[in-house]
Amino acid sequence: MSTLWRDLRYGIRMLGKSPGFSAVVVFSLALGIGANVSIFTIVNALLLRPLAAARPQELAAVYTSDYSGPLYGTSSYPDYLDFRARAQSFDGLVAYAPHSVVMTTNGAQPERLQGEYVSGNYFDVFGVRAAQGRTFNAEEDREAGAHPVVVLSQRFWQKRFDSAPDLIGKQIVLSNQSFTVIGVAPPQWRGMVRGLGVDFWMPMAMEPIINPGSEMLTSRGSRGLFIMGRLRPGVTLEQARAEFNVIAGQQREAYTQQWSNVRNEGRTITLLPESETRIMPQLRGAVLGFMGLLMAVVGLVLAVACANIAGLLLARATSRRREIAIRLALGASRARLMRQLLTESLLLSLVGGALGILVALWATDLLLKFRPPFGVTLALDLGLDARVLGFTLLTAIITGLAFGLAPAVQATKPELVPALKDEGAAGGYRRSRLRSLLVVAQVAVSLLLLIGSGLFLRSLMNANAIDPGFNPQNMLLVDVELRDYKEAQGVSFYQQLLERVRALPGVSAASWSGELPLQLQGSRRGVRFEGYQPQPGEDMEVAFSSAGPEYFRTMGITLLRGRDFSERDTAGAPGVVVINEALARRYFPGQDALGRHLSISGPKGPFLEIVGIARDGKYWTLGEEARPFMTFPLLQNYEGAATLMIRTEGDPQSLVSPVRGEIRTLDQNVLVDSAKTMTEHMGLALLPARVAGSVLGVFGLVALVLASIGIYGVVAFYVGQRTREFGIRVALGAQAGDILGLVLKEGMLIVAVGVALGLAGAFAVTRLLSSFLYGISPGDPLTFTSVSLLLVGVALLACLVPARRATKVDPMVALRYE
Amino acid sequence: MISLRNVEKFYEAGATKNYVLRRINLDVAEGEFISVMGPSGSGKSTLLHVIGMHDTAWGGEYFLDGQPVHKLGKKERAELRNKTIGFVFQSYHLLDHLTVYENLEIPLSYRDTAKRERQSVVADALDRFHIVGKKDLYPTQLSGGQQQLVGVARALIASPKLLLADEPTGNLHSSQGKEIMELFKRLNDEGTTIIQVTHSEQNATYGSRIVKLEDGWIVNN
Ligand SMILES: Nc1ncnc2c1ncn2[C@@H]1O[C@H](COP(=O)(O)OP(=O)(O)OP(=O)(O)O)[C@@H](O)[C@H]1O
Ligand SMILES: [Mg+2]
């Protein structure tokens, strides 16, 4: 113990003596370990952390196989009731189904909430007690619609109700139905779907009230429930499986039709322990694979960091050769010395690990801040726990041994005499080829990543210059969802709202769109064109959208021929469609498409008349080639949700609340999901480029930092080995500049090879990116040169530090040992 | 040619100063061949490195060829040194990864000599020291005497007026040592001023004068 303490104290002193070296090592370790801890934190939250239920190891999930065969399907409510009544191996069986509702509050905007329908025993079986109020009792899920009660999640209670202490017993309105809040769940209970935030739980018996006409609780064929239960004490999963095999047989006997699959065999029931259900079994393989890949990548980053640090330590070992040789000469055992050196390494890696945790906290916090543009909230519990801390400690120790062992072995090799005479330093000019190659690879990879990032960032700048085919300026988009409307009601709502909005001051035009352009994807449907004979196997699906009256005028899309949609293009009127140039070129080559017909309902029609031909635009992505496109009148092809498109004279934002006001006047309870400007919306189209640009950029910078440390290590090692040579050269008349040149040449040779390889790789690889790049060629010379220059500049700095040290070599000291 | 006035040098060990050279006054005329002698640790090497301008941290006055070295800046010193001085080391200090030819070329490359001229100068030196046959060998492939021959050739390659040698024969057999001493004698006869450090009375006899150092003091002037 006392020698350990001495080793530690001595280690701290040694590291304190070279603060620059220690800082570089600790920094790169913080980066490398931090990356690993970040990914592990996610793996932990997704896969390793058990459900926050009591005694999670007793829980098992029950799946009914799907009609088409896959094993892990959901179950029906009548089957659930049968299972519950018959299964002896379970103490309790719970059913739940995720769903969303709209909450309306007087005077506030409607909000969309995520929740779960649950069986009445849900909280009891999982052993979860309410943090406020109470949870459900068995009575509350017996009679359909009899008990409109709801339990809120801690997060939702805090966020939406400011943790109001008197909320229990109050009413909230979900899907136009009043519910009494009876409790708030404890903070660690976040529902059953990992990664998604849950706002509330309601009894399964309320489902028919929320979805009138739904058969979820009555039909054996309506399979939408997840089932999980707690095994009776002493019952193994195998015994439970055997019992459910029997039950599956009985169900097949009793309900042959519902319990048969596509091959007319019986459906099966599969049980999985809780530990294998944290991610949906169907997705589990993919998630495991993806996480494994991520772990491998960050593991590689750490391995490279280790190799670099080992290089630095080797460089330092040459300058400590005499200290070590003397210690050996004085009788220190080799093991003793190695322990001393390893203590120093471990000290470094533990400090690096501690900082790595900070890096991980920061990185995962950043991840949680990311709002995916699909309206779900990410709610992963990415906190530190014993598992994460243990992983960090283990990683740090392995890391310390990995980068410390080789230099320690090397440094304590007992070649006493040459080291004492300092001949070794001049004798073998061993360049470690492997290490040079490693650094070359780091330079090449970092260049490749940075060029990729540069291309994306430049194309983001270019994207503003792309003509989407419509005018994106001064345009407000308001998503409207008509939940319980019949078609006639909905059409009249669309028409009335349009009238009112057009009358608002500052509005120059307005229309509806069934599907916004530039959402990265869209819908296609099979079409038949009058007079066009498809080739066998020809792709006859065409992208489409629906739009309201005066859509093309509102959007600023040029109509080359024909007319815009009008108020008269309704269900009763003749069916019409507007196509674009690309469609006309492809399916009516050399003909006038105007007045011709197409059918989207098979060869018998009805056929729709082409009443307009619009100029080509961008429909799904900004980078796409001109694609055939058709637009139908929304009022002829009713959809319950659409986007109000408003062309404004001034700032579109100023119209948000007047428009919301008009919507509320028409109907209080219409859900306005979001209001945004067209320019904001187009940000979505640029999301892939933005994400790719930043991810590549971050990884590129990490690689650059690592490469710089690698270059520094190799050059410092070189300088350390050649101290005597530089002394001789200075004694023979070399000036500082000559020595500087010599060292820089050594370092920059590695950089040059790395840059050459990186450029070659980039030329080959960036071609694959061309469909994501806007207005820029994948071999863009400006990006290639500026990134290369940046990298060479940074590499030069990394060389300069040890090179300057070489110029300070005192010939007196270097020549002293004669 | 050389004039040292009250040259002093010390190393600091904590608060105390350990003097290595004390009030050195020494004049060396052009064409002299001086042997510096004295017990180990008396400051011989230190003195040589001061004269050779490898060492810059000392006090006093030093005139070389009429130039006040103590007043010169780093650049000017280097220029003066490169123009005037050649240095021979006890352990040769050849660069192991360069051939004999390349070792000889180093000093010229730091003196902005054109490539053409370098080639002819090196060729002359190889010829003069009878090592033409060795020009493509590496130092480790030579005997000690041959290595020191290269060391001397390298010191003389830029035609210095002053040759400094710190125990040039210290690592050699006596017969090899004799050869080097005869060479020095010849050079001296041709006009090169020489200062050598030696432990050997025998070697000292080749010189014209002996300077004795003890504890940093010159004791025989
Ligand atoms: N870097 C240093 N720090 C402290 N003292 C030093 C240093 N270098 C040399 N000395 C001291 O200077 C004194 C003179 O050293 P120098 O090498 O000049 O002696 P020397 O006469 O050449 O001896 P030798 O015959 O053994 O080569 C010695 O006492 C030595 O301890
Ligand atoms: Mg000496």
Side-chain angles (χ1 to χ4, degrees), chain A residues 246-370:
Chain A
V246 175
I247 294 179
Q250 294 166 345
Q251 296 297 88
R252 159 97 160 147
E253 203 114 296
Y255 312 102
T256 313
Q257 194 221 327
Q258 291 95 333
W259 273 80
S260 300
N261 70 13
V262 67
R263 287 185 300 278
N264 210 22
E265 297 156 351
R267 293 187 190 233
T268 56
I269 301 179
T270 310
L271 270 58
L272 286 180
E274 184 272 335
S275 60
E276 288 171 36
T277 61
R278 289 166 196 164
I279 292 291
M280 296 220 306
Q282 299 90 321
L283 297 179
R284 207 171 126 81
V287 170
L288 279 178
F290 181 64
M291 284 297 155
L293 184 73
L294 280 182
M295 287 299 286
V297 168
V298 291
L300 203 65
V301 167
L302 186 58
V304 167
C306 278
N308 284 340
I309 296 167
L312 288 179
L313 284 175
L314 273 175
R316 217 166 65 113
T318 48
S319 54
R320 284 178 74 179
R321 276 174 68 93
R322 280 167 61 75
E323 175 208 332
I324 286 162
I326 291 165
R327 282 171 179 274
L328 283 171
L330 293 178
S333 76
R334 194 167 171 211
R336 177 81 190 66
L337 274 181
M338 280 183 49
R339 204 172 69 206
Q340 169 62 43
L341 292 176
L342 283 180
T343 308
E344 285 177 42
S345 299
L346 283 178
L347 209 61
L348 284 169
S349 68
L350 288 177
V351 176
L355 289 182
I357 289 184
L358 293 185
V359 170
L361 282 177
W362 173 78
T364 49
D365 193 51
L366 214 61
L367 179 76
L368 282 187
K369 286 222 179 76
F370 176 71

Side-chain angles (χ1 to χ4, degrees), chain A residues 816 818, chain B residues 41 44-46 90 166-167 197 199:
Chain A
R816 188 92 226 152
E818 301 208 85
Chain B
K44 307 182 294 293
S45 297
T46 308
Q90 175 178 355
D166 192 352
E167 297 186 55
V197 170
H199 281 291

Side-chain angles (χ1 to χ4, degrees), chain A residues 426-427 429 722 724-725 728-736 738-739 742 810-812 814-818, chain B residues 11 46 49 54-55 75 78-79 81-82 87 89-91 93-98 106-107 110-111 154 166:
Chain A
Y429 290 104
R722 301 214 171 187
R724 199 187 66 122
E725 172 182 337
I728 296 169
R729 285 180 181 270
V730 170
L732 293 176
Q735 309 257 335
D738 298 315
I739 303 293
L742 211 60
D810 185 352
M812 288 295 293
L815 299 176
R816 188 92 226 152
Y817 312 107
E818 301 208 85
Chain B
Y11 289 106
T46 308
H49 283 299
H54 297 146
D55 195 346
K75 258 225 148 97
E79 223 166 82
R81 185 188 62 190
N82 284 357
F87 214 105
F89 306 95
Q90 175 178 355
S91 48
H93 284 326
L94 301 178
L95 296 187
D96 289 340
H97 59 294
L98 301 183
I106 301 174
Y110 295 136
R111 283 166 177 77
R154 188 179 63 182
D166 192 352

Side-chain angles (χ1 to χ4, degrees), chain A residues 812-813 816 818, chain B residues 9-13 18-21 37-49 90 166-167 197 199 213 215-216:
Chain A
M812 288 295 293
V813 177
R816 188 92 226 152
E818 301 208 85
Chain B
K9 171 157 186 79
F10 58 82
Y11 289 106
E12 259 163 304
N18 291 330
Y19 277 89
V20 183
L21 294 177
M37 302 190 72
S40 189
S42 55
K44 307 182 294 293
S45 297
T46 308
L47 178 62
L48 216 59
H49 283 299
Q90 175 178 355
D166 192 352
E167 297 186 55
V197 170
H199 281 291
L213 275 181
D215 272 344

Side-chain angles (χ1 to χ4, degrees), chain B residues 1 62-72 76 80 83:
Chain B
M1 168 168 218
Y62 168 17
F63 296 89
L64 175 64
D65 248 2
Q67 302 250 37
V69 174
H70 50 281
K71 284 188 187 154
L72 297 182
E76 294 151 312
L80 179 60
K83 205 172 72 194

